[in-house]
Amino acid sequence: MANKEATVAELTEKFESSTAVLLTEYRGLTVAQLKSLRTSISEDATYAVVKNTLTKIAANKAGITSFDEELVGPSAIAFVHGDPVAVAKTLRAFTKANPLLVVKGGYFDGNPLTAAEVGKLADLESREVLLAKLAGAFKASLFGAAYLFQAPLSKAVRTIDALREKQESAN
């Protein structure tokens, strides 16, 4: 009983400290395949095989009720502590190579996710790519502003040169 309470407390802490939680069913996967999956997402998440009843209790304690119907069969959860998009992409790639892994749903930013929404999350570009695009947009707008401030000066210089040439040709 004390062991179960400790497990529930640990799971509750993982639910509360994770930026996202992705629920999967691993029925039919080998231990080697699960180890490979754990290794591939270890930078951004921890992947744990969980007991359904204890997980329901822990999720409810953490304020997550969306997993109640999903927690059937052999379940495992990716507790994301890094980039949720990267983990969703890795799970999708692993699912393509190992169709026995089924993504059931998730919980991200205070909202439950369906399996389809987890797929949409995987379709997003990574954080680094989005930051690079934002930096590019800032750079473009700065160059645009610099050009805007420089244009009247260069126009004035060209006008003065044209007037000087006109006076020289008149003399």
Side-chain angles (χ1 to χ4, degrees):
M1 191 67 171
N3 188 21
K4 288 182 180 180
E5 288 175 3
T7 302
V8 168
E10 181 184 343
L11 286 171
T12 303
E13 191 275 325
K14 284 184 177 183
F15 275 115
E16 291 171 346
S17 66
S18 298
T19 56
V21 179
L22 302 176
L23 179 64
T24 64
E25 182 177 315
Y26 65 93
R27 184 186 319 266
L29 292 177
T30 65
V31 173
Q33 289 170 322
L34 286 174
K35 184 177 180 183
S36 169
L37 177 58
R38 276 190 183 103
T39 304
S40 64
I41 64 172
S42 64
E43 188 176 315
D44 292 309
T46 55
Y47 191 72
V49 173
V50 294
K51 292 193 177 281
N52 293 336
T53 306
L54 299 180
T55 304
K56 280 181 193 177
I57 294 168
N60 287 331
K61 279 187 176 183
I64 301 170
T65 57
S66 59
F67 288 163
D68 288 353
E69 295 83 32
E70 304 274 339
L71 286 166
V72 290
S75 300
I77 297 181
F79 293 100
V80 182
H81 51 75
D83 185 7
V85 174
V87 175
K89 284 179 186 285
T90 304
L91 282 175
R92 180 173 59 188
F94 189 87
T95 302
K96 285 182 182 175
N98 303 284
L100 294 175
L101 181 74
V102 177
V103 176
K104 293 182 178 181
Y107 193 80
F108 176 59
D109 202 25
N111 298 310
L113 301 174
T114 63
E117 289 170 331
V118 173
K120 287 180 184 176
L121 186 64
D123 290 336
L124 292 176
E125 292 174 334
S126 70
R127 182 178 186 272
E128 290 77 20
V129 170
L130 292 174
L131 287 174
K133 284 186 176 185
L134 182 64
F138 279 137
K139 184 177 177 184
S141 62
L142 287 175
F143 278 124
Y147 177 77
L148 184 66
F149 292 127
Q150 191 178 13
L153 294 175
S154 63
K155 186 174 180 181
V157 168
R158 285 192 302 272
T159 304
I160 291 171
D161 280 345
L163 284 173
R164 188 175 329 151
E165 287 177 13
K166 186 175 181 182
Q167 282 183 341
E168 288 175 359
S169 64
N171 288 338

